[in-house]
Amino acid sequence: MLDFLFDYAALRVIWWVLLGVLLIGFAVTDGFDMGVGALLPFVAGTDTERRVAINTVGPVWEGNQVWFILGGGAIFAAWPALYALSFSGFYLAMFLVLASLILRPVAFKYRSKRPEARWRRNWDMALVVGGAVPALIFGVAVGNTLQGVPFHFTDDLRPIYEGTLLGLLNPLALYCGLASLAMIAMHGAAWLALKAEGPVAERASRLGARLALATAALFAGGGLLVALGLFGGYEVVGTQALDGPSNPLLKAVATAPRAWLGNYGAHPWLVVVPALGIAGALLAALGFRARREGATFLASALGIAGIVATVGVSMFPVILPSSTSPAQSLTVFDASSSESTLRTMLIATVIFLPIVLAYTSWVYTVLWGKVGEDEITGSGSTAY
């Protein structure tokens, strides 16, 4: 069994799964932080209500953002070619994401330093930007990935990216961005319904039910677009050495309409993954209406897991297709680090990831409880 787990091909698949886990962890944890920020003008009318919403995420947002760093680090260490192409090709988009995320800690720290309404409104808008823009851009990135990214390799494996920022903002990618924004906003509403009290929670529940339905509809609509072949698709043709060298020039990939549905035809049980995305969002909508806060948040998280996992399951083994040179697309089996690197990283992950999860669980347990106006306005309050 251990020999199998440490086989090169198996290590590549394991790290593909772990990358998916890290991305889902980021979307579920930091997702509700961003969702709360994006919803701030819609769920809070007064300064006190806005402080209630902000303080539901204030104590935990920094820890949640670690998942983003872990995901980027995993791509850098386990999939260097993917890191080089995605972070350089999407450089301007990533710059917008990072600039937006940088606004969040500054806004958290500075909005309550002065009492002027204009000062606080400006920092509140920074929180909105810091929540909505990353959610939108991440979805746009996924939409472009599904369509293929314009890149190729030279004979010495030097990657060349040929796209532009405006090229990323195409209709199909913007559709995915809108779906991502709806999903993250739904999750933020579920968190506010769970953690806030009073008018903020009530407004979040009403808005969250609509956002959950929108998420389900947009995700299902995306599946229809894939079925119609509008997103295209890429598939490995012939055979590929699963334990061969990490060289994207040693295999063949062809474009094919509806190729992203191929894995579901070969393994029908995989349909449970997108079904979970739709079912989670619909159950969240029911939970919002029934005021079942805990069940609603869990359903929202399951929906996010299903939606994010659907992208990986649909594309496997391709992880970054090339629209200009399909044969040079990156796959799970030709874009990874060396066998020894993957093995060493896996051992470190097995040791340290449970510690991170245990500490995170302890933090949430200690900080559990609802946030109401009394905690914000009470004497000696240290709220944001």
Side-chain angles (χ1 to χ4, degrees), residues 48-67:
T48 300
E49 290 175 354
R50 286 190 289 273
R51 293 183 70 194
V52 168
I54 292 170
N55 277 272
T56 63
V57 298
V60 297
W61 72 268
E62 289 179 292
N64 292 341
Q65 200 156 277
V66 169
W67 288 94

Side-chain angles (χ1 to χ4, degrees), residues 39-367:
L39 292 177
L40 197 58
F42 307 101
V43 298
T46 66
D47 180 67
T48 300
E49 290 175 354
R50 286 190 289 273
R51 293 183 70 194
V52 168
I54 292 170
N55 277 272
T56 63
V57 298
V60 297
W61 72 268
E62 289 179 292
N64 292 341
Q65 200 156 277
V66 169
W67 288 94
F68 180 58
I69 300 171
L70 288 174
I75 295 175
F76 173 77
W79 312 100
L82 174 62
Y83 181 90
L85 279 165
S86 58
F87 278 72
S88 60
F90 297 161
Y91 181 81
L92 292 177
M94 288 294 179
F95 178 81
L96 290 176
V97 169
L98 292 176
S100 301
L101 291 177
I102 288 170
L103 288 175
R104 290 203 300 167
V106 180
F108 278 122
K109 299 299 182 182
Y110 279 93
R111 81 167 302 277
S112 293
K113 297 298 184 183
R114 292 171 57 177
E116 292 88 350
R118 182 177 180 181
W119 171 270
R120 294 189 173 189
R121 280 198 305 270
N122 289 339
W123 288 118
D124 289 341
M125 186 53 60
L127 288 173
V128 174
V129 172
V133 171
L136 178 68
I137 296 299
F138 286 137
V140 169
V142 170
N144 279 283
T145 300
L146 289 171
Q147 296 175 78
V149 179
F151 72 87
H152 69 275
F153 289 92
T154 62
D155 292 339
D156 58 354
L157 293 182
R158 183 166 59 91
I160 305 295
Y161 178 78
E162 302 168 344
T164 63
L165 177 61
L166 292 180
L168 297 176
L169 302 178
N170 58 79
L172 290 174
L174 289 172
Y175 179 91
C176 292
L178 183 61
S180 174
L181 181 57
M183 177 185 74
I184 293 301
M186 168 194 71
H187 201 46
W191 178 257
L192 286 172
L194 177 68
K195 287 287 291 181
E197 292 180 339
V200 173
E202 291 295 323
R203 296 188 191 106
S205 294
R206 291 196 297 269
L207 187 58
R210 301 188 188 100
L211 289 167
L213 292 175
T215 299
L218 289 168
F219 180 57
L224 179 61
L225 294 176
V226 171
L228 293 174
L230 296 183
F231 275 100
Y234 298 78
E235 60 182 2
V236 178
V237 295
T239 59
Q240 180 182 19
L242 305 187
D243 57 353
S246 291
N247 186 338
L249 306 182
L250 299 180
K251 53 92 182 47
V253 175
T255 58
R258 296 176 292 278
W260 295 143
L261 299 178
N263 286 335
Y264 301 102
H267 308 284
W269 62 270
L270 289 175
V271 73
V272 71
V273 179
L276 180 63
I278 296 175
L282 293 177
L283 288 173
L286 293 175
F288 278 121
R289 295 186 182 279
R291 297 296 194 271
R292 299 290 298 273
E293 295 91 353
T296 300
F297 185 78
L298 179 59
S300 177
L302 290 175
I304 288 176
I307 291 171
V308 175
T310 295
V311 178
V313 168
S314 301
M315 294 180 62
F316 184 85
V318 178
I319 53 177
L320 188 67
S322 170
S323 59
T324 53
S325 301
Q328 299 183 12
S329 300
L330 300 181
T331 74
V332 171
F333 302 107
D334 66 14
S336 72
S337 294
S338 67
E339 182 177 359
S340 61
T341 299
L342 296 182
R343 182 184 298 113
T344 302
M345 288 172 51
L346 180 60
I347 294 172
T349 300
V350 170
I351 294 173
F352 291 107
L353 186 58
I355 297 174
V356 173
L357 293 174
Y359 174 75
T360 301
S361 300
W362 176 78
V363 169
Y364 275 90
T365 301
V366 171
L367 298 174

